[in-house]
Amino acid sequence: MKITSQQLIFFLDILLKSSLKKMYFYELKFIGMKTRIIGFFLLFEASFMLITSLVALYYFYQCGDGDVLALTVSTIITAISGFILISAGRSNGKSDRQNIENFEVKDSFFLVTLTWIIFALFGMLPFLLNGSIRDVSSAFFEAMSGFTTTGCTVMNDIDYQPHGILFWRSIMQWLGGLGIIVLFLAVMPALNRNSNKVMMFSAEMSGIGVKKLHPKMMMTARKLLGIYIILTILCAFVYYMGPMNIFDAICHAMTTMSSGGFSTHQASIGYYNSPYIEYASSFFMFASGINFSLYYFLFTGQGRLFRENEELRWYIGAVVVMTIILVVLFYYAPELSTVTTNMDSYPEGFENRFRTSLFHVISMTTSTCYQAHNFDYDLWGGLFLIPTFILMASGACAGSTSGGIKIIREVIAIKSINNIFRRLLHPNALFSVKVSNEVIDEEKTQRVINFLLIFLHLYVIGVLLFIVSGSTLKEAMFNCVSALGNSGPGIGSTGPSLSFSELSNMGKWTMSALMLIGRLEIYTVLVTFLALFRGSKY
């Protein structure tokens, strides 16, 4: 039987329309599944808001705090929004599982990026409803700073804030420390049964060196969460043994182990004027900067992997060397510097100088950025700004809660550059990059180099945006590295003794964007927005 051209066109037209119709319904189901996942995330956030509301209720009866209503309403709004999204994306169970199995890497990147933004949007509600922060730009800035564990704040009256608001600031950082996605995977079995958990985990924990502790990613997330909780409890106990009350101890433990830096006092750790607290804080901040996978190996009798980890050795070496440099600077900076220094801000005596140097180095390296009793590096003189800037950009170990570039990337880059010079001297020789006796392939090495280049370009763009928003060049340089490195303090009008309240709205939104990009280690956010810019469907 012959088929005419008209019949062929008619047949292709029906086939095309049928295919498009199927694709349309598939896309609707696919989007629906993402909507449901976001809804579950909001319920997850609402559950922690509820805990915070109970804390506020307790202190309402204890000391008359007035933030119960704001936190309760925030909880209700967040929970209702979550239920609405879950209902809107509801479909039959078989289709959900099939849709999740078809998730691509870009879908995981999109969900992770969107989750952090949505968490910040709903996380700012308690501040606005309670009147702690009165404008949206500042409230979103505070929430994003909390969830990304950056630690920048716009609050100038922290000591007068009610307990519920202070607890919410701490719990935001605790959630963001290990990663909202990791926590979610650890406690939500329905999602853990599906394959997209691996991609979402890698999109959240995108740093090199995060080892899989179990064949099932759900179990890896749970082991990391278990280690995180144990260290947080231990930290709270040690703090409580000092001058901190139970509330301050719990709040500071959450922000210490998350490398966040939010405090319940405007003077931060310096409020206690206690060497015990400063040494304890230094120890646990240092612990938060270690790859959490190594703790698992240590606790399970695989201490050799802990001892032989090269990144850890570089981390310890960097802390030791930089601490020595700062101690020396405290003795000789006034003579070496041509810039006037404020000697009243210097610690006195060797022990005090050593403790201040150790605290400052660890605080900046891990991006916690607490303030000790002698804390204002802005008054120490120009010679202290260079090492402080380097520490803020560097960061600690991959797989930790710290921000920054991460030491493992710096080690790989240094060894890669070294190989370039070796090849020039020995053109016929073959050289490879090795870290902890493990060969780093060319693809990973190139990805590290690309990361550093993108980080540098983003830094330059960020500095320009801050200058346009009204910051001086010096302030723009520190604000940008503080945001991209999730560190916290700035310099000048945003220095360690001040807040970011005077930053313009443009500066706050710029910094919020950079904090998100830095927390998700650049690739996740840029891939998402690049796909959106090109018109790729999610």
Side-chain angles (χ1 to χ4, degrees), residues 43-75:
L43 291 184
F44 184 70
E45 182 177 15
S47 65
F48 284 92
M49 278 188 181
L50 178 60
I51 294 171
T52 309
S53 300
L54 295 176
V55 171
L57 182 63
Y58 172 80
Y59 281 100
F60 169 74
Y61 287 107
Q62 288 292 314
C63 52
D65 281 357
D67 57 346
V68 180
L69 181 61
L71 285 161
T72 303
V73 172
S74 300
T75 304

PDB file of all heavy atoms in Angstrom, residues 43-75:
ATOM      1  N   LEU A  43       8.621  21.822  55.699  1.00  0.00           N
ATOM      2  CA  LEU A  43       8.166  21.165  56.933  1.00  0.00           C
ATOM      3  C   LEU A  43       9.356  20.865  57.842  1.00  0.00           C
ATOM      4  O   LEU A  43       9.250  20.958  59.078  1.00  0.00           O
ATOM      5  CB  LEU A  43       7.423  19.868  56.594  1.00  0.00           C
ATOM      6  CG  LEU A  43       6.063  20.023  55.907  1.00  0.00           C
ATOM      7  CD1 LEU A  43       5.415  18.650  55.735  1.00  0.00           C
ATOM      8  CD2 LEU A  43       5.137  20.933  56.710  1.00  0.00           C
ATOM      9  N   PHE A  44      10.468  20.513  57.238  1.00  0.00           N
ATOM     10  CA  PHE A  44      11.699  20.268  57.985  1.00  0.00           C
ATOM     11  C   PHE A  44      12.122  21.541  58.718  1.00  0.00           C
ATOM     12  O   PHE A  44      12.450  21.517  59.916  1.00  0.00           O
ATOM     13  CB  PHE A  44      12.786  19.809  57.010  1.00  0.00           C
ATOM     14  CG  PHE A  44      14.091  19.425  57.649  1.00  0.00           C
ATOM     15  CD1 PHE A  44      14.197  18.278  58.419  1.00  0.00           C
ATOM     16  CD2 PHE A  44      15.224  20.203  57.465  1.00  0.00           C
ATOM     17  CE1 PHE A  44      15.401  17.912  58.996  1.00  0.00           C
ATOM     18  CE2 PHE A  44      16.430  19.856  58.037  1.00  0.00           C
ATOM     19  CZ  PHE A  44      16.521  18.706  58.804  1.00  0.00           C
ATOM     20  N   GLU A  45      12.089  22.674  58.021  1.00  0.00           N
ATOM     21  CA  GLU A  45      12.434  23.953  58.641  1.00  0.00           C
ATOM     22  C   GLU A  45      11.413  24.327  59.713  1.00  0.00           C
ATOM     23  O   GLU A  45      11.779  24.816  60.790  1.00  0.00           O
ATOM     24  CB  GLU A  45      12.513  25.058  57.590  1.00  0.00           C
ATOM     25  CG  GLU A  45      12.921  26.408  58.157  1.00  0.00           C
ATOM     26  CD  GLU A  45      13.061  27.485  57.101  1.00  0.00           C
ATOM     27  OE1 GLU A  45      12.569  27.287  55.968  1.00  0.00           O
ATOM     28  OE2 GLU A  45      13.652  28.539  57.397  1.00  0.00           O
ATOM     29  N   ALA A  46      10.141  24.079  59.429  1.00  0.00           N
ATOM     30  CA  ALA A  46       9.085  24.417  60.387  1.00  0.00           C
ATOM     31  C   ALA A  46       9.248  23.633  61.690  1.00  0.00           C
ATOM     32  O   ALA A  46       8.924  24.142  62.777  1.00  0.00           O
ATOM     33  CB  ALA A  46       7.714  24.143  59.775  1.00  0.00           C
ATOM     34  N   SER A  47       9.740  22.392  61.601  1.00  0.00           N
ATOM     35  CA  SER A  47       9.922  21.583  62.814  1.00  0.00           C
ATOM     36  C   SER A  47      10.956  22.216  63.744  1.00  0.00           C
ATOM     37  O   SER A  47      10.801  22.198  64.974  1.00  0.00           O
ATOM     38  CB  SER A  47      10.347  20.154  62.437  1.00  0.00           C
ATOM     39  OG  SER A  47      11.623  20.142  61.824  1.00  0.00           O
ATOM     40  N   PHE A  48      11.997  22.804  63.171  1.00  0.00           N
ATOM     41  CA  PHE A  48      13.001  23.473  64.006  1.00  0.00           C
ATOM     42  C   PHE A  48      12.494  24.826  64.498  1.00  0.00           C
ATOM     43  O   PHE A  48      12.893  25.284  65.573  1.00  0.00           O
ATOM     44  CB  PHE A  48      14.313  23.624  63.230  1.00  0.00           C
ATOM     45  CG  PHE A  48      15.085  22.336  63.118  1.00  0.00           C
ATOM     46  CD1 PHE A  48      14.906  21.496  62.037  1.00  0.00           C
ATOM     47  CD2 PHE A  48      15.966  21.955  64.119  1.00  0.00           C
ATOM     48  CE1 PHE A  48      15.602  20.297  61.939  1.00  0.00           C
ATOM     49  CE2 PHE A  48      16.665  20.759  64.036  1.00  0.00           C
ATOM     50  CZ  PHE A  48      16.481  19.925  62.942  1.00  0.00           C
ATOM     51  N   MET A  49      11.639  25.461  63.710  1.00  0.00           N
ATOM     52  CA  MET A  49      10.982  26.677  64.196  1.00  0.00           C
ATOM     53  C   MET A  49      10.089  26.361  65.390  1.00  0.00           C
ATOM     54  O   MET A  49       9.992  27.146  66.339  1.00  0.00           O
ATOM     55  CB  MET A  49      10.144  27.306  63.088  1.00  0.00           C
ATOM     56  CG  MET A  49      10.910  28.170  62.119  1.00  0.00           C
ATOM     57  SD  MET A  49       9.767  29.038  61.021  1.00  0.00           S
ATOM     58  CE  MET A  49      10.947  29.948  60.000  1.00  0.00           C
ATOM     59  N   LEU A  50       9.435  25.208  65.338  1.00  0.00           N
ATOM     60  CA  LEU A  50       8.577  24.793  66.443  1.00  0.00           C
ATOM     61  C   LEU A  50       9.395  24.587  67.713  1.00  0.00           C
ATOM     62  O   LEU A  50       8.981  25.004  68.806  1.00  0.00           O
ATOM     63  CB  LEU A  50       7.839  23.500  66.070  1.00  0.00           C
ATOM     64  CG  LEU A  50       6.936  22.905  67.154  1.00  0.00           C
ATOM     65  CD1 LEU A  50       5.834  23.895  67.549  1.00  0.00           C
ATOM     66  CD2 LEU A  50       6.322  21.588  66.684  1.00  0.00           C
ATOM     67  N   ILE A  51      10.556  23.949  67.580  1.00  0.00           N
ATOM     68  CA  ILE A  51      11.446  23.768  68.731  1.00  0.00           C
ATOM     69  C   ILE A  51      11.839  25.126  69.314  1.00  0.00           C
ATOM     70  O   ILE A  51      11.828  25.335  70.532  1.00  0.00           O
ATOM     71  CB  ILE A  51      12.706  22.977  68.321  1.00  0.00           C
ATOM     72  CG1 ILE A  51      12.334  21.550  67.919  1.00  0.00           C
ATOM     73  CG2 ILE A  51      13.729  22.952  69.459  1.00  0.00           C
ATOM     74  CD1 ILE A  51      13.471  20.763  67.306  1.00  0.00           C
ATOM     75  N   THR A  52      12.162  26.061  68.415  1.00  0.00           N
ATOM     76  CA  THR A  52      12.533  27.412  68.851  1.00  0.00           C
ATOM     77  C   THR A  52      11.360  28.102  69.545  1.00  0.00           C
ATOM     78  O   THR A  52      11.543  28.829  70.534  1.00  0.00           O
ATOM     79  CB  THR A  52      12.999  28.253  67.653  1.00  0.00           C
ATOM     80  OG1 THR A  52      13.995  27.540  66.927  1.00  0.00           O
ATOM     81  CG2 THR A  52      13.561  29.585  68.101  1.00  0.00           C
ATOM     82  N   SER A  53      10.141  27.878  69.040  1.00  0.00           N
ATOM     83  CA  SER A  53       8.943  28.453  69.666  1.00  0.00           C
ATOM     84  C   SER A  53       8.765  27.938  71.084  1.00  0.00           C
ATOM     85  O   SER A  53       8.361  28.691  71.994  1.00  0.00           O
ATOM     86  CB  SER A  53       7.701  28.128  68.831  1.00  0.00           C
ATOM     87  OG  SER A  53       7.812  28.654  67.533  1.00  0.00           O
ATOM     88  N   LEU A  54       9.064  26.656  71.303  1.00  0.00           N
ATOM     89  CA  LEU A  54       8.964  26.079  72.645  1.00  0.00           C
ATOM     90  C   LEU A  54      10.002  26.693  73.579  1.00  0.00           C
ATOM     91  O   LEU A  54       9.721  26.932  74.767  1.00  0.00           O
ATOM     92  CB  LEU A  54       9.132  24.560  72.570  1.00  0.00           C
ATOM     93  CG  LEU A  54       8.033  23.812  71.803  1.00  0.00           C
ATOM     94  CD1 LEU A  54       8.360  22.325  71.713  1.00  0.00           C
ATOM     95  CD2 LEU A  54       6.676  24.013  72.465  1.00  0.00           C
ATOM     96  N   VAL A  55      11.204  26.942  73.037  1.00  0.00           N
ATOM     97  CA  VAL A  55      12.226  27.624  73.838  1.00  0.00           C
ATOM     98  C   VAL A  55      11.744  29.026  74.217  1.00  0.00           C
ATOM     99  O   VAL A  55      11.884  29.466  75.365  1.00  0.00           O
ATOM    100  CB  VAL A  55      13.562  27.704  73.049  1.00  0.00           C
ATOM    101  CG1 VAL A  55      14.565  28.601  73.785  1.00  0.00           C
ATOM    102  CG2 VAL A  55      14.148  26.312  72.845  1.00  0.00           C
ATOM    103  N   ALA A  56      11.162  29.724  73.248  1.00  0.00           N
ATOM    104  CA  ALA A  56      10.639  31.075  73.504  1.00  0.00           C
ATOM    105  C   ALA A  56       9.519  31.036  74.541  1.00  0.00           C
ATOM    106  O   ALA A  56       9.411  31.928  75.396  1.00  0.00           O
ATOM    107  CB  ALA A  56      10.140  31.694  72.196  1.00  0.00           C
ATOM    108  N   LEU A  57       8.671  30.011  74.464  1.00  0.00           N
ATOM    109  CA  LEU A  57       7.575  29.873  75.426  1.00  0.00           C
ATOM    110  C   LEU A  57       8.114  29.665  76.836  1.00  0.00           C
ATOM    111  O   LEU A  57       7.603  30.252  77.807  1.00  0.00           O
ATOM    112  CB  LEU A  57       6.678  28.696  75.025  1.00  0.00           C
ATOM    113  CG  LEU A  57       5.454  28.446  75.906  1.00  0.00           C
ATOM    114  CD1 LEU A  57       4.497  29.634  75.848  1.00  0.00           C
ATOM    115  CD2 LEU A  57       4.732  27.160  75.466  1.00  0.00           C
ATOM    116  N   TYR A  58       9.162  28.853  76.948  1.00  0.00           N
ATOM    117  CA  TYR A  58       9.779  28.612  78.258  1.00  0.00           C
ATOM    118  C   TYR A  58      10.300  29.912  78.854  1.00  0.00           C
ATOM    119  O   TYR A  58      10.056  30.219  80.044  1.00  0.00           O
ATOM    120  CB  TYR A  58      10.921  27.603  78.113  1.00  0.00           C
ATOM    121  CG  TYR A  58      11.746  27.434  79.365  1.00  0.00           C
ATOM    122  CD1 TYR A  58      11.305  26.639  80.422  1.00  0.00           C
ATOM    123  CD2 TYR A  58      12.982  28.090  79.502  1.00  0.00           C
ATOM    124  CE1 TYR A  58      12.061  26.499  81.589  1.00  0.00           C
ATOM    125  CE2 TYR A  58      13.738  27.955  80.646  1.00  0.00           C
ATOM    126  CZ  TYR A  58      13.272  27.162  81.688  1.00  0.00           C
ATOM    127  OH  TYR A  58      14.026  27.026  82.830  1.00  0.00           O
ATOM    128  N   TYR A  59      10.992  30.712  78.048  1.00  0.00           N
ATOM    129  CA  TYR A  59      11.569  31.958  78.559  1.00  0.00           C
ATOM    130  C   TYR A  59      10.520  33.056  78.694  1.00  0.00           C
ATOM    131  O   TYR A  59      10.762  34.064  79.375  1.00  0.00           O
ATOM    132  CB  TYR A  59      12.732  32.406  77.674  1.00  0.00           C
ATOM    133  CG  TYR A  59      13.994  31.631  77.966  1.00  0.00           C
ATOM    134  CD1 TYR A  59      14.392  30.573  77.151  1.00  0.00           C
ATOM    135  CD2 TYR A  59      14.764  31.925  79.084  1.00  0.00           C
ATOM    136  CE1 TYR A  59      15.535  29.845  77.432  1.00  0.00           C
ATOM    137  CE2 TYR A  59      15.901  31.195  79.386  1.00  0.00           C
ATOM    138  CZ  TYR A  59      16.289  30.153  78.556  1.00  0.00           C
ATOM    139  OH  TYR A  59      17.407  29.424  78.849  1.00  0.00           O
ATOM    140  N   PHE A  60       9.376  32.866  78.065  1.00  0.00           N
ATOM    141  CA  PHE A  60       8.263  33.791  78.317  1.00  0.00           C
ATOM    142  C   PHE A  60       7.804  33.666  79.762  1.00  0.00           C
ATOM    143  O   PHE A  60       7.551  34.671  80.441  1.00  0.00           O
ATOM    144  CB  PHE A  60       7.109  33.480  77.366  1.00  0.00           C
ATOM    145  CG  PHE A  60       5.826  34.185  77.723  1.00  0.00           C
ATOM    146  CD1 PHE A  60       5.673  35.545  77.481  1.00  0.00           C
ATOM    147  CD2 PHE A  60       4.773  33.487  78.314  1.00  0.00           C
ATOM    148  CE1 PHE A  60       4.492  36.204  77.824  1.00  0.00           C
ATOM    149  CE2 PHE A  60       3.601  34.128  78.661  1.00  0.00           C
ATOM    150  CZ  PHE A  60       3.453  35.492  78.412  1.00  0.00           C
ATOM    151  N   TYR A  61       7.724  32.412  80.249  1.00  0.00           N
ATOM    152  CA  TYR A  61       7.309  32.199  81.630  1.00  0.00           C
ATOM    153  C   TYR A  61       8.447  32.479  82.617  1.00  0.00           C
ATOM    154  O   TYR A  61       8.209  32.819  83.778  1.00  0.00           O
ATOM    155  CB  TYR A  61       6.805  30.771  81.830  1.00  0.00           C
ATOM    156  CG  TYR A  61       5.452  30.543  81.208  1.00  0.00           C
ATOM    157  CD1 TYR A  61       5.316  29.781  80.038  1.00  0.00           C
ATOM    158  CD2 TYR A  61       4.293  31.088  81.773  1.00  0.00           C
ATOM    159  CE1 TYR A  61       4.069  29.580  79.459  1.00  0.00           C
ATOM    160  CE2 TYR A  61       3.054  30.896  81.194  1.00  0.00           C
ATOM    161  CZ  TYR A  61       2.945  30.140  80.041  1.00  0.00           C
ATOM    162  OH  TYR A  61       1.709  29.946  79.470  1.00  0.00           O
ATOM    163  N   GLN A  62       9.693  32.326  82.149  1.00  0.00           N
ATOM    164  CA  GLN A  62      10.835  32.549  83.028  1.00  0.00           C
ATOM    165  C   GLN A  62      11.155  34.032  83.204  1.00  0.00           C
ATOM    166  O   GLN A  62      11.440  34.492  84.314  1.00  0.00           O
ATOM    167  CB  GLN A  62      12.068  31.819  82.475  1.00  0.00           C
ATOM    168  CG  GLN A  62      12.013  30.310  82.618  1.00  0.00           C
ATOM    169  CD  GLN A  62      12.095  29.858  84.059  1.00  0.00           C
ATOM    170  OE1 GLN A  62      12.924  30.328  84.839  1.00  0.00           O
ATOM    171  NE2 GLN A  62      11.202  28.945  84.441  1.00  0.00           N
ATOM    172  N   CYS A  63      11.170  34.776  82.093  1.00  0.00           N
ATOM    173  CA  CYS A  63      11.598  36.179  82.186  1.00  0.00           C
ATOM    174  C   CYS A  63      10.767  37.121  81.325  1.00  0.00           C
ATOM    175  O   CYS A  63      11.182  38.256  81.072  1.00  0.00           O
ATOM    176  CB  CYS A  63      13.077  36.308  81.835  1.00  0.00           C
ATOM    177  SG  CYS A  63      13.553  35.556  80.280  1.00  0.00           S
ATOM    178  N   GLY A  64       9.627  36.661  80.824  1.00  0.00           N
ATOM    179  CA  GLY A  64       8.713  37.533  80.121  1.00  0.00           C
ATOM    180  C   GLY A  64       9.095  37.910  78.701  1.00  0.00           C
ATOM    181  O   GLY A  64       8.654  38.947  78.194  1.00  0.00           O
ATOM    182  N   ASP A  65       9.903  37.085  78.033  1.00  0.00           N
ATOM    183  CA  ASP A  65      10.270  37.358  76.637  1.00  0.00           C
ATOM    184  C   ASP A  65       9.024  37.449  75.762  1.00  0.00           C
ATOM    185  O   ASP A  65       8.067  36.678  75.936  1.00  0.00           O
ATOM    186  CB  ASP A  65      11.190  36.259  76.090  1.00  0.00           C
ATOM    187  CG  ASP A  65      12.630  36.447  76.559  1.00  0.00           C
ATOM    188  OD1 ASP A  65      12.895  37.449  77.248  1.00  0.00           O
ATOM    189  OD2 ASP A  65      13.484  35.602  76.230  1.00  0.00           O
ATOM    190  N   GLY A  66       9.066  38.339  74.779  1.00  0.00           N
ATOM    191  CA  GLY A  66       7.875  38.581  73.970  1.00  0.00           C
ATOM    192  C   GLY A  66       7.964  38.120  72.540  1.00  0.00           C
ATOM    193  O   GLY A  66       7.329  38.706  71.662  1.00  0.00           O
ATOM    194  N   ASP A  67       8.776  37.082  72.267  1.00  0.00           N
ATOM    195  CA  ASP A  67       8.946  36.626  70.884  1.00  0.00           C
ATOM    196  C   ASP A  67       8.180  35.349  70.567  1.00  0.00           C
ATOM    197  O   ASP A  67       8.335  34.783  69.483  1.00  0.00           O
ATOM    198  CB  ASP A  67      10.428  36.425  70.576  1.00  0.00           C
ATOM    199  CG  ASP A  67      11.097  35.448  71.542  1.00  0.00           C
ATOM    200  OD1 ASP A  67      10.494  35.147  72.594  1.00  0.00           O
ATOM    201  OD2 ASP A  67      12.217  35.006  71.257  1.00  0.00           O
ATOM    202  N   VAL A  68       7.345  34.887  71.499  1.00  0.00           N
ATOM    203  CA  VAL A  68       6.615  33.623  71.285  1.00  0.00           C
ATOM    204  C   VAL A  68       5.674  33.741  70.089  1.00  0.00           C
ATOM    205  O   VAL A  68       5.628  32.850  69.221  1.00  0.00           O
ATOM    206  CB  VAL A  68       5.806  33.230  72.543  1.00  0.00           C
ATOM    207  CG1 VAL A  68       5.061  31.920  72.302  1.00  0.00           C
ATOM    208  CG2 VAL A  68       6.707  33.124  73.744  1.00  0.00           C
ATOM    209  N   LEU A  69       4.921  34.821  70.025  1.00  0.00           N
ATOM    210  CA  LEU A  69       3.936  34.985  68.953  1.00  0.00           C
ATOM    211  C   LEU A  69       4.613  35.032  67.590  1.00  0.00           C
ATOM    212  O   LEU A  69       4.158  34.385  66.639  1.00  0.00           O
ATOM    213  CB  LEU A  69       3.127  36.265  69.185  1.00  0.00           C
ATOM    214  CG  LEU A  69       2.029  36.554  68.150  1.00  0.00           C
ATOM    215  CD1 LEU A  69       1.000  35.424  68.142  1.00  0.00           C
ATOM    216  CD2 LEU A  69       1.360  37.901  68.448  1.00  0.00           C
ATOM    217  N   ALA A  70       5.701  35.791  67.482  1.00  0.00           N
ATOM    218  CA  ALA A  70       6.405  35.918  66.201  1.00  0.00           C
ATOM    219  C   ALA A  70       6.918  34.566  65.711  1.00  0.00           C
ATOM    220  O   ALA A  70       6.774  34.213  64.529  1.00  0.00           O
ATOM    221  CB  ALA A  70       7.568  36.904  66.334  1.00  0.00           C
ATOM    222  N   LEU A  71       7.498  33.782  66.608  1.00  0.00           N
ATOM    223  CA  LEU A  71       8.041  32.468  66.230  1.00  0.00           C
ATOM    224  C   LEU A  71       6.931  31.475  65.930  1.00  0.00           C
ATOM    225  O   LEU A  71       7.043  30.653  65.006  1.00  0.00           O
ATOM    226  CB  LEU A  71       8.942  31.948  67.349  1.00  0.00           C
ATOM    227  CG  LEU A  71      10.314  32.630  67.426  1.00  0.00           C
ATOM    228  CD1 LEU A  71      10.956  32.407  68.789  1.00  0.00           C
ATOM    229  CD2 LEU A  71      11.226  32.110  66.322  1.00  0.00           C
ATOM    230  N   THR A  72       5.842  31.534  66.691  1.00  0.00           N
ATOM    231  CA  THR A  72       4.721  30.622  66.452  1.00  0.00           C
ATOM    232  C   THR A  72       4.070  30.909  65.104  1.00  0.00           C
ATOM    233  O   THR A  72       3.779  29.975  64.331  1.00  0.00           O
ATOM    234  CB  THR A  72       3.677  30.755  67.578  1.00  0.00           C
ATOM    235  OG1 THR A  72       4.296  30.500  68.839  1.00  0.00           O
ATOM    236  CG2 THR A  72       2.535  29.766  67.367  1.00  0.00           C
ATOM    237  N   VAL A  73       3.838  32.176  64.811  1.00  0.00           N
ATOM    238  CA  VAL A  73       3.252  32.551  63.516  1.00  0.00           C
ATOM    239  C   VAL A  73       4.183  32.161  62.378  1.00  0.00           C
ATOM    240  O   VAL A  73       3.738  31.656  61.339  1.00  0.00           O
ATOM    241  CB  VAL A  73       2.955  34.067  63.479  1.00  0.00           C
ATOM    242  CG1 VAL A  73       2.535  34.499  62.071  1.00  0.00           C
ATOM    243  CG2 VAL A  73       1.862  34.425  64.482  1.00  0.00           C
ATOM    244  N   SER A  74       5.465  32.345  62.559  1.00  0.00           N
ATOM    245  CA  SER A  74       6.446  31.956  61.540  1.00  0.00           C
ATOM    246  C   SER A  74       6.402  30.450  61.296  1.00  0.00           C
ATOM    247  O   SER A  74       6.472  29.988  60.148  1.00  0.00           O
ATOM    248  CB  SER A  74       7.856  32.373  61.965  1.00  0.00           C
ATOM    249  OG  SER A  74       7.948  33.761  62.140  1.00  0.00           O
ATOM    250  N   THR A  75       6.261  29.702  62.387  1.00  0.00           N
ATOM    251  CA  THR A  75       6.163  28.243  62.274  1.00  0.00           C
ATOM    252  C   THR A  75       4.926  27.843  61.484  1.00  0.00           C
ATOM    253  O   THR A  75       4.988  26.984  60.589  1.00  0.00           O
ATOM    254  CB  THR A  75       6.123  27.604  63.667  1.00  0.00           C
ATOM    255  OG1 THR A  75       7.272  28.008  64.419  1.00  0.00           O
ATOM    256  CG2 THR A  75       6.077  26.088  63.573  1.00  0.00           C
TER     257      THR A  75
END
